[in-house]
Amino acid sequence: MQIASAASAFPKNYYPQKFLLEQLQQYWGEKLKNPQMLARLHRNVSVEGRHLALPYEQYYNLHTWGDANDVWIQVARELGEQALCRALHHAGLEPKDLGALFFVSVTGISSPSIDALLVNRMGLSPNIKRLPIFGLGCVAGAAGIARAADYVRAYPSQAAALVSVELCSLTI
């Protein structure tokens, strides 16, 4: 058993950390009790910039959790497909070669789940085994890898994939 490939995909909306700090200070305005603490945090994380699920100005249109989750579903489906396609390509596999698809996330939820949406979108086998994993927090990735490893131990002639999509910017 081995990990044949790994790949990633990022949203196209990239912003420098300094710009994001300015936007957050404006977004929270007077509600921000200690702007110096936020500035210190942004300085000390040593991150040059971040990829956001949406262009920054569109975040002002997210008024409810449902609004943010609708965006999460759209972007998670796109990024999940990109990452899975890249990983399959690097492993020399076709989408129909997958026997199982595991999906994890803690920043959104979907029914049908993202893995189910990817079956038709990517031409995965209609007999693929799927397992969406939600609600495990930061341990979800480890749990997903463990379940994928269990699967390929039980079915050594098959391939399994784990897709994880986290869109933390939508949890604002």
Side-chain angles (χ1 to χ4, degrees), residues 13 32 41-42 47 49 54 74 83 86 100-101 122 140 142 144 155 165:
N13 309 296
L32 189 58
L41 173 69
H42 276 253
V47 173
L54 293 170
Q74 175 190 343
R86 287 177 185 148
L101 177 58
M122 293 182 62
Y155 301 96
V165 178

Side-chain angles (χ1 to χ4, degrees), residues 1 9 16 26 33 58 63 69 82-83 102 112-113 130 149:
M1 174 178 53
Q26 180 180 336
K33 302 228 187 282
Q58 290 183 18
H63 301 292
N69 199 67
Q82 289 172 24
F102 300 84
S113 57
R130 300 181 304 99

Side-chain angles (χ1 to χ4, degrees), residues 1-133:
M1 174 178 53
Q2 68 180 17
I3 295 175
S5 177
S8 58
F10 294 95
K12 61 184 175 190
N13 309 296
Y14 179 84
Y15 298 96
Q17 191 73 5
K18 183 177 185 226
F19 176 81
L20 292 174
L21 172 60
E22 293 166 1
Q23 295 307 309
L24 285 171
Q25 289 170 328
Q26 180 180 336
Y27 180 81
W28 283 316
E30 296 298 317
K31 295 178 191 173
L32 189 58
K33 302 228 187 282
N34 190 342
Q36 294 79 19
M37 175 84 70
L38 182 65
R40 190 171 77 222
L41 173 69
H42 276 253
R43 265 193 324 273
N44 291 335
V45 295
S46 299
V47 173
E48 292 180 17
R50 297 177 188 272
H51 295 267
L52 303 185
L54 293 170
Y56 81 92
E57 65 274 3
Q58 290 183 18
Y59 281 82
Y60 290 96
N61 299 327
L62 301 178
H63 301 292
T64 66
W65 178 85
D67 294 341
N69 199 67
D70 288 345
V71 172
W72 180 86
I73 292 168
Q74 175 190 343
V75 177
R77 191 175 52 216
E78 292 167 3
L79 295 178
E81 179 180 12
Q82 289 172 24
L84 183 54
C85 283
R86 287 177 185 148
L88 290 171
H89 175 75
H90 294 313
L93 297 172
E94 296 294 324
K96 63 180 175 11
D97 295 334
L98 279 181
L101 177 58
F102 300 84
F103 178 81
V104 299
S105 185
V106 297
T107 57
I109 193 161
S110 173
S111 182
S113 57
I114 299 300
D115 53 303
L117 296 172
L118 292 177
V119 171
N120 291 333
R121 184 176 174 115
M122 293 182 62
L124 301 175
S125 169
N127 298 319
I128 195 168
K129 285 81 171 174
R130 300 181 304 99
L131 181 62
I133 303 170

